[in-house]
Amino acid sequence: MIRSDLAAKLAGRTTFGADLDRPGMLWAALVLSPVAHGRIRRVDLSKVRKAPGVVVAITAPDVEKLLPKGSGDPERPVFPTREVLYRHQPIAAIAARTLSEARAAALLAEVDIDPLPIVDDIETVFPEWPEPSKKPNSAVVAHVHARHGDLEAAFREAEFVHSETYRTAGVHQVALETHACLAEVEGAIWRVTTSTQSPFSVREDLSSQLGLPESAVVVEGSWVGGGFGGKTSALLEPFALLLAAAAGAPVRLALSYREEFLLGRTTLPCVVRIESSVAKGRVTGRRVRMLLDCGSTMPSRDFATGYAITFLLGPYNVDTFEVEGYGLRTNKPPFGPHRAPLIPQLTFVIDSHMDSIARRLSVDPIAFRRAHVWHEGDSTALGQRIGPSGIDSALERAEKTVLRWRGNAPREHGFGIGVGYWSTGVSAGGEARLRLTPQELVIEQGEREIGSGSVVRGLVAVAERSLGLPASAIRVAYSDTASAPFDSGVFGSRTVGALGQAVQKASEELVRELEARTGTKGSLRLEFDGRSIRAVASGLRRPIAELLTPEELNEGGLKAHGKFYGPPMKFDESRVVAGSFYPVADVVGAVHLAEVSVDRETGAVKVHRYAAFHDVGVALDMAMVRAQVEGGVVMGLGTALTEESLWSSEGSLRNPGLLDYRLPRLNDVPPIEVYPVEGFPGAGPFGAKGVGEPPIIPVPAAVANAVADATGARVFELPLSPERVARALKLL
Amino acid sequence: MPFSLSTPKDPAEAFRLLVAGRPGETALLAGGTALLRDLDEGQNHATHLISLRKLPWNRHAWKGEALEIGSTEPLRTLENDPLVRARLPGLHQAIEAVGSVALRHRATLGGNLGRASPASDLIPVLLALEALVNLRSPRGQRVVDIEQFIISSRQTAREPDELIESVSIPRALPSAYVWQRVRPSNDISQVGVAVALGPPPGRWRVALGGVSPRPVRLPEAEEALVSRRPSEAEVELAAQAAARHAPFVTDRRATEGYRRRLVTTLVRRAVRSTAEHRARRAGPKGGR
């Protein structure tokens, strides 16, 4: 199956956010804060306004004049009024006739800020670490705490308690396309076309941030040149809309690549203390403490801390535990989601730790994991029941592959396993409308294709299976938030699992209606001969044209509406001591295997072979599954080995570009073998499980464990740069 | 930022533009692989670029065992010359270390020298090979030893009215260039080590990149190497001398301590590779 978006993309005809254009359009630029923390004394735009080509320039006091209600959300002002909280925070915006005029004018802004002390390091600002906080700490913006069982007894009675501290680095999404949007304000309608993973989330953000009713905000998604979590909420849209309102003309705002690094909401550093009590070859109790850098502000800080922390217990049965996490405010841009936010990092922690315990016990690391791993019917840490789970089956297959690979690899090579899981976001709802015409089936929905194929291919595959139609008869339609059915957006690997169920339900409704019209029951399918669609059942074979009413033929076909809103989920609240925790929805597991060699004199790690075993439920399109897994592994190798945001003590990002922010290059990527594990159905249509995020999750753990296997030395910090490995090898 | 672009077709026109331009506002464009990025990121504020690509300096020529490399010859063309690989293995390894294949189709030796980055992969091997830089100006021509040409980070002996015409490498020599990076492909080297052997026979030259403020020769390491096929002890002494004397600093790519540790390994590997290459070339009977 060839993706329907491919021809236009290969020919360069696709309109991405950065390609948006309108007659009379102005170009925007942002004035960015020169310091990471400070009190604003003065923002003077008079020179900016006189600069060649400048049409409007706005800063905090201008915002209220432009908004119908005079103000938006006081918690999230568009521009800071008194205090800047991170370096490069936008403090003013400019629209000019050309991009170069806008950017040149931005340099003329006179900004007077009294610098204040900055917080850049989470361990420094939390003096009790690794003990819990003893007194109120203004840097703590989230605190989560849960426990179950008698942990003190488990630790007391253990043969040993294995204690380790791990640290992880901030990583960027690095979508090829930067954030970009085009804003138009006409009458009461504030309209923005934007490169987003979720038009409806952007609408909600704009509505609250600008104090506008949702009906006054219209968001249209453009084609998206990669999201990876970085385009799930509003970022540039408020600036562009306010400029458009001020100028009375369309305004386009797109970040340069450098700005994308400086302003992007990304994963930030984290430190974890993890301790496990061990008796009779089993983990009997576990305590984890986590400090998470939340950056300057973050609406979802509770979620980041409370959702992530239970992953530190792994997909393993440990009924006696205590987890405690702190989200800390620092003078960095706000923390933001990145493909399975923070979970590759936390999986590196828990699965390095499991591997380390197995080695201390001198037992096979895979067997040790299999003795603890979740099976169907087991419970999560917060007491939710696990559905059909293929993790153990994946482990079994990885075990056999390790044996085979060891047999034909040089003796100095190391082999490592990473075991990860993800909870796909099938609790977030969505709706889809189907229109069946005599010639085609149209899927009307509110998402945009971000490149993964989950919309152009995933939703189509669901309709194909539901109706019997080939993909060539199915078209996905996109529209703005004023006319598309609601959907939560492309995140959490939920598109096929959640919106796919809406498509499935609408398909079933279509079939029921056609069965009623033809007097058939239970076996009706649709067929396509390249020109027209027929309904087929036993003793029936009729063109759709004959089954539709004249009104339907005139008004776009037979329509069906499918809604999917996940059932409410509960967990055992009695285990929660403090803060917000979140239920897991649909557990999806993956086991990865890495074969590495390590240069014992320099610390350089080379990955030679890689295999990924994925619990996919049912693979609706194996080629797409393979592509997602390969892409996720490559991205994970970056997190594992080379990608790292470097911050100066003045709060500046020191590597805002691809020169020193090192993505994996294809030359450095090993052959990747992808194995689906089927037979453990998930919550999605036909038992499908999400596969967007799971492939990145086990990678850093697999590589780190392979390095430990090759050298006997464990690296406790991501990424595993040559220098960090050299330190672990005691070369310096 | 917008800029104007001139593309002179001969050196005389280039000099006219160069003399007419104001310092800070005019920049020379060779391959552009570094300059365009600097302009894009606001590191360079030039408003007028003089492209050197139409000048007749995009060629290289052998004169016996000597090689003259035009300053605007794309690195990829040099890389594809089998004689470069056979006669100057260190230079070939250094060229292969620069960026990616696509980048080497644009990047030039002149551009790399003109920028004089402390992390240059090419300058160490030119130091080890004792290359000469041929400069030209309306006043005439002059030849400057590479050692004198590179003054500091982004600072060279080129006068404002001069252009780099070519680089001469006086003789083919057994040589090697080895490096270490965070990412193997298309990254900046944390440390680069170039060595060359002779003349006279048994005289080694050792040069380093990834040091501050400019790539350097390391006489202390050179003096430790006294034979054509150095003993383990000699190599070890040279490696230790390099670690002791190299002007390493800590920056965002590596700590000073890691660089000192790395350089011992890289000196060892470069010397061994050169000695073994030489032994292979000399055939089964051993040294000449």
Side-chain angles (χ1 to χ4, degrees), chain A residues 297-454:
Chain A
T297 53
M298 190 176 61
S300 57
R301 57 193 175 248
D302 290 331
F303 184 76
T305 317
Y307 187 69
I309 197 164
T310 56
F311 281 83
L312 283 167
L313 298 168
Y316 301 117
N317 291 306
V318 182
D319 203 38
T320 303
F321 70 88
E322 179 176 27
V323 294
E324 187 160 18
Y326 297 88
L328 295 164
R329 190 204 314 272
T330 62
N331 295 107
K332 293 175 189 152
F335 182 99
H338 171 289
R339 198 173 189 169
L342 209 66
I343 308 308
Q345 287 83 357
L346 300 188
T347 299
F348 157 75
V349 174
I350 169 65
D351 229 46
S352 291
H353 184 67
M354 286 296 279
D355 205 76
S356 175
I357 297 171
R359 284 174 200 280
R360 181 162 173 184
L361 289 167
S362 299
V363 299
D364 176 70
I366 298 182
F368 184 66
R369 287 179 180 85
R370 292 191 67 186
H372 291 83
V373 79
W374 287 341
H375 290 81
E376 182 173 2
D378 287 339
S379 292
T380 66
L382 296 179
Q384 280 184 273
R385 192 182 166 280
I386 306 289
S389 168
I391 306 181
D392 190 48
S393 181
L395 271 166
E396 192 180 348
R397 293 180 63 175
E399 201 167 22
K400 289 184 182 134
T401 309
V402 175
L403 285 175
R404 187 158 51 80
W405 283 10
R406 270 198 204 276
N408 60 22
R411 232 169 50 88
E412 68 273 18
H413 282 200
F415 298 83
I417 288 281
V419 183
Y421 77 98
W422 180 240
S423 161
T424 45
V426 291
S427 51
E431 302 178 17
R433 280 195 299 258
L434 298 184
R435 280 196 295 115
L436 180 65
T437 76
Q439 294 83 31
E440 65 174 355
L441 177 82
V442 182
I443 303 173
E444 296 179 340
Q445 50 78 49
E447 287 193 2
R448 291 301 306 207
E449 174 57 52
I450 68 166
S452 69
S454 63

Side-chain angles (χ1 to χ4, degrees), chain A residues 528-552:
Chain A
F528 183 61
D529 61 9
R531 281 199 313 270
S532 53
I533 298 173
R534 277 190 302 273
V536 181
S538 58
L540 173 88
R541 195 174 182 82
R542 288 181 65 187
I544 289 302
E546 293 177 13
L547 297 173
L548 302 194
T549 67
E551 290 76 23
E552 285 165 349

Side-chain angles (χ1 to χ4, degrees), chain A residues 326-676:
Chain A
Y326 297 88
L328 295 164
R329 190 204 314 272
T330 62
N331 295 107
K332 293 175 189 152
F335 182 99
H338 171 289
R339 198 173 189 169
L342 209 66
I343 308 308
Q345 287 83 357
L346 300 188
T347 299
F348 157 75
V349 174
I350 169 65
D351 229 46
S352 291
H353 184 67
M354 286 296 279
D355 205 76
S356 175
I357 297 171
R359 284 174 200 280
R360 181 162 173 184
L361 289 167
S362 299
V363 299
D364 176 70
I366 298 182
F368 184 66
R369 287 179 180 85
R370 292 191 67 186
H372 291 83
V373 79
W374 287 341
H375 290 81
E376 182 173 2
D378 287 339
S379 292
T380 66
L382 296 179
Q384 280 184 273
R385 192 182 166 280
I386 306 289
S389 168
I391 306 181
D392 190 48
S393 181
L395 271 166
E396 192 180 348
R397 293 180 63 175
E399 201 167 22
K400 289 184 182 134
T401 309
V402 175
L403 285 175
R404 187 158 51 80
W405 283 10
R406 270 198 204 276
N408 60 22
R411 232 169 50 88
E412 68 273 18
H413 282 200
F415 298 83
I417 288 281
V419 183
Y421 77 98
W422 180 240
S423 161
T424 45
V426 291
S427 51
E431 302 178 17
R433 280 195 299 258
L434 298 184
R435 280 196 295 115
L436 180 65
T437 76
Q439 294 83 31
E440 65 174 355
L441 177 82
V442 182
I443 303 173
E444 296 179 340
Q445 50 78 49
E447 287 193 2
R448 291 301 306 207
E449 174 57 52
I450 68 166
S452 69
S454 63
V455 176
V456 293
R457 184 62 199 126
L459 298 182
V460 169
V462 172
E464 259 183 288
R465 281 216 189 198
S466 303
L467 297 166
L469 276 177
S472 55
I474 304 170
R475 179 164 67 84
V476 179
Y478 307 92
S479 47
D480 58 35
T481 52
S483 46
F486 171 80
D487 183 69
S488 306
V490 184
F491 62 82
S493 308
R494 65 169 285 282
T495 300
V496 171
L499 187 54
Q501 292 196 62
V503 171
Q504 188 181 25
K505 287 182 175 183
S507 302
E508 286 161 4
E509 189 190 312
L510 265 189
V511 169
R512 272 195 304 275
E513 178 60 26
L514 291 172
E515 284 178 344
R517 291 185 188 191
T518 54
T520 55
K521 213 168 168 106
S523 65
L524 187 133
R525 306 287 287 166
L526 299 178
E527 273 184 10
F528 183 61
D529 61 9
R531 281 199 313 270
S532 53
I533 298 173
R534 277 190 302 273
V536 181
S538 58
L540 173 88
R541 195 174 182 82
R542 288 181 65 187
I544 289 302
E546 293 177 13
L547 297 173
L548 302 194
T549 67
E551 290 76 23
E552 285 165 349
L553 287 169
N554 279 336
E555 288 165 16
L558 174 61
K559 298 183 180 78
H561 195 162
K563 290 184 182 184
F564 174 77
Y565 290 92
M569 289 177 302
K570 284 201 207 93
F571 57 84
D572 183 355
E573 299 273 359
S574 72
R575 299 182 180 196
V576 174
V577 182
S580 306
F581 285 82
Y582 298 83
V584 299
D586 195 20
V587 169
V588 179
V591 175
H592 286 192
L593 164 63
E595 175 181 343
V596 308
S597 64
V598 179
D599 186 324
R600 300 297 195 101
E601 292 181 313
T602 65
V605 175
K606 181 174 166 64
V607 183
H608 295 270
R609 274 191 283 192
Y610 203 94
F613 305 87
H614 274 259
D615 177 15
V616 296
V618 170
L620 293 180
D621 183 322
M622 192 52 212
M624 298 299 295
V625 168
R626 191 178 300 279
Q628 279 300 291
V629 174
E630 287 176 353
V633 169
V634 173
M635 202 167 167
L637 287 172
T639 304
L641 293 167
T642 58
E643 291 182 44
E644 174 177 17
S645 300
L646 301 170
W647 301 91
S648 77
S649 55
E650 289 85 43
S652 286
L653 185 65
R654 296 166 74 203
N655 53 344
L658 294 175
L659 184 66
D660 279 304
Y661 184 88
R662 300 172 183 88
L663 293 183
R665 302 274 306 183
L666 211 50
N667 320 34
D668 304 326
V669 171
I672 300 165
E673 298 174 13
V674 180
Y675 300 101

Side-chain angles (χ1 to χ4, degrees), chain A residues 96-114:
Chain A
R97 286 188 313 248
T98 66
L99 178 60
S100 50
E101 284 171 330
R103 293 215 167 132
L107 302 173
L108 301 175
E110 288 177 9
V111 179
D112 194 358
I113 300 176
D114 286 337

